[in-house]
Amino acid sequence: MNDLRRIRSEIGGTQVIFHDGIFKDIISIENIFDAWREFIKGKQNKGDTQDFALDLEDNIFVLHHDLSDGTYTHGSYQQFRISDPKPRVISKASVRDRLLHHAIYRNLYPGFDKTFVYDSFSCRTGKGVHKAFARLVKVARKVSCGYVRPCWALKCDMRKFFDSIDHQILMNQLAERIDDNCLLGLLTNIIQSFSASEGRGIPLGNLTSQLFANIYMDPLDKFIKHRLKVKYYIRYADDLVLLDSDPSVLMGDFVEIAQFCRERLKLQVHPNKVFLRKLTWGIDFVGYVALPRHNRPRKKTVRRMLRHLTYQVKHNPIRGRLSLPSYLGYLQHVNGYKIAGQLRAVMDHVIHSSGVQK
């Protein structure tokens, strides 16, 4: 981090958010215990959490000591695959390391969040998937002047986003805003604890990764909003949507966005996931489809829900009944009452035909 002064000079004196001393606040016994109370929610029955809690005070004091004297090293990860529905590899750190992630996050997130653009919706308090889609609907209505004029959307995302995040670029971004070398060293330790390829990648599963991803994409957000002057832009993680009444304007912006990602962030826009859509055709974003005057869920999502519910009710009726409310909750954010009726009918039919007791 000896290049800190040079980095700030090159970027024109970016405002420091966190000054010297923030490291001591993060590793304080009080902050780690507060982080534990947040971390433990919903995990009381997990075996590794219970093991850590058996000697909680000793474990926290040892963690504090290792951080204080500079001997802390982030541990390895346990990896497993999930489908949500796209296959993903989740990397799970130890309880000790995840507790530290919480201690860091609760101190850094509020400061960084204030610097993010309004229309960044991923992993932010008061934002999220449903707010992102609601924003898209609102913006589409504005661009189309109440659905009487054309509205076009350019949608794209990054190829292997989390695996492609460059460690050095991320660390330089952190150094622009953090004037505490001890904290920068700790964050470097965490970042370099994982790699998908040499010097690249952050793990899906770390709480800090959510913050790092937004920090990494923040220069792109500001390039689009302030340099390209794009009025209507929404981002959720690495999914980007730009809206305009003129599709040629969007394609011109896209060329510059792809170049910025390639040259400044070492990210590649996924060549098979660039879509230029008219509102009347439907704009697919964060699991829903926006149309003039109504919105609907993705067709493939509906098919998957029907298939899963049928299987669950047949083979595990209790699990099926527990799944139904979550499916209905998903449909509440669009015009999904007909599909909700289909889901209820499927469950009733399967239960009746199989003789399962409700």
Side-chain angles (χ1 to χ4, degrees), residues 77-148:
Y77 293 87
Q78 175 188 356
Q79 295 189 323
F80 56 93
R81 294 183 178 273
I82 63 168
S83 295
D84 66 338
K86 186 168 69 174
R88 298 178 187 274
V89 176
I90 301 297
S91 299
K92 181 182 178 182
S94 68
V95 172
R96 165 185 160 101
D97 292 331
R98 284 183 284 149
L99 173 58
L100 175 60
H101 300 166
H102 273 260
I104 293 170
Y105 186 89
R106 66 193 310 273
N107 278 262
L108 296 191
Y109 168 77
F112 274 109
D113 187 68
K114 293 175 183 177
T115 71
F116 297 149
V117 301
Y118 177 84
D119 284 316
S120 165
F121 283 88
S122 177
C123 302
R124 296 180 65 191
T125 303
K127 302 284 186 175
V129 167
H130 301 131
K131 293 286 182 68
F133 185 71
R135 179 65 172 164
L136 173 67
V137 171
K138 182 178 180 180
V139 167
R141 189 184 303 119
K142 283 186 177 181
V143 174
S144 64
C145 296
Y147 310 120
V148 298

Side-chain angles (χ1 to χ4, degrees), residues 46-272:
K46 302 290 184 180
D48 55 353
T49 306
Q50 291 176 340
D51 290 343
F52 191 89
L54 286 175
D55 296 303
L56 180 62
E57 290 190 5
D58 286 347
N59 286 329
I60 286 180
F61 275 97
V62 169
L63 175 59
H64 168 75
H65 176 269
D66 291 349
L67 290 164
S68 297
D69 68 5
T71 59
Y72 169 83
T73 300
H74 197 286
S76 59
Y77 293 87
Q78 175 188 356
Q79 295 189 323
F80 56 93
R81 294 183 178 273
I82 63 168
S83 295
D84 66 338
K86 186 168 69 174
R88 298 178 187 274
V89 176
I90 301 297
S91 299
K92 181 182 178 182
S94 68
V95 172
R96 165 185 160 101
D97 292 331
R98 284 183 284 149
L99 173 58
L100 175 60
H101 300 166
H102 273 260
I104 293 170
Y105 186 89
R106 66 193 310 273
N107 278 262
L108 296 191
Y109 168 77
F112 274 109
D113 187 68
K114 293 175 183 177
T115 71
F116 297 149
V117 301
Y118 177 84
D119 284 316
S120 165
F121 283 88
S122 177
C123 302
R124 296 180 65 191
T125 303
K127 302 284 186 175
V129 167
H130 301 131
K131 293 286 182 68
F133 185 71
R135 179 65 172 164
L136 173 67
V137 171
K138 182 178 180 180
V139 167
R141 189 184 303 119
K142 283 186 177 181
V143 174
S144 64
C145 296
Y147 310 120
V148 298
R149 293 184 180 178
C151 173
W152 291 84
L154 176 74
K155 181 175 179 291
C156 61
D157 66 20
M158 303 300 138
R159 187 169 194 170
K160 296 183 177 179
F161 172 56
F162 275 84
D163 285 349
S164 299
I165 289 177
D166 184 275
H167 289 178
Q168 191 58 55
I169 292 175
L170 176 57
M171 289 186 290
N172 287 351
Q173 291 174 335
L174 292 168
E176 293 169 8
R177 298 301 184 94
I178 299 172
D179 189 15
D180 187 314
N181 287 335
C182 291
L183 176 55
L184 289 172
L186 175 60
L187 296 178
T188 300
N189 190 328
I190 294 172
I191 292 167
Q192 294 181 341
S193 69
F194 175 91
S195 61
S197 59
E198 187 173 356
R200 305 186 82 170
I202 59 175
L204 281 167
N206 279 5
L207 180 61
T208 48
S209 293
Q210 298 176 8
L211 179 59
F212 290 158
N214 276 329
I215 293 170
Y216 200 83
M217 294 294 277
D218 188 54
L220 175 62
D221 293 338
K222 287 168 180 167
F223 173 77
I224 292 172
K225 294 295 290 185
H226 305 318
R227 184 73 63 84
L228 299 182
K229 306 293 184 183
V230 175
K231 187 174 182 180
Y232 300 117
Y233 161 71
I234 304 167
R235 179 176 66 81
Y236 188 89
D238 64 317
D239 288 340
L240 319 179
V241 177
L242 292 76
L243 296 99
D244 199 280
S245 58
D246 186 347
S248 64
V249 170
L250 294 175
M251 291 309 299
D253 290 335
F254 170 73
V255 171
E256 297 210 46
I257 289 169
Q259 181 179 357
F260 182 93
C261 290
R262 184 172 58 252
E263 294 179 357
R264 294 285 300 276
L265 301 178
K266 295 186 180 179
L267 296 176
Q268 180 185 1
V269 176
H270 200 301
N272 299 327

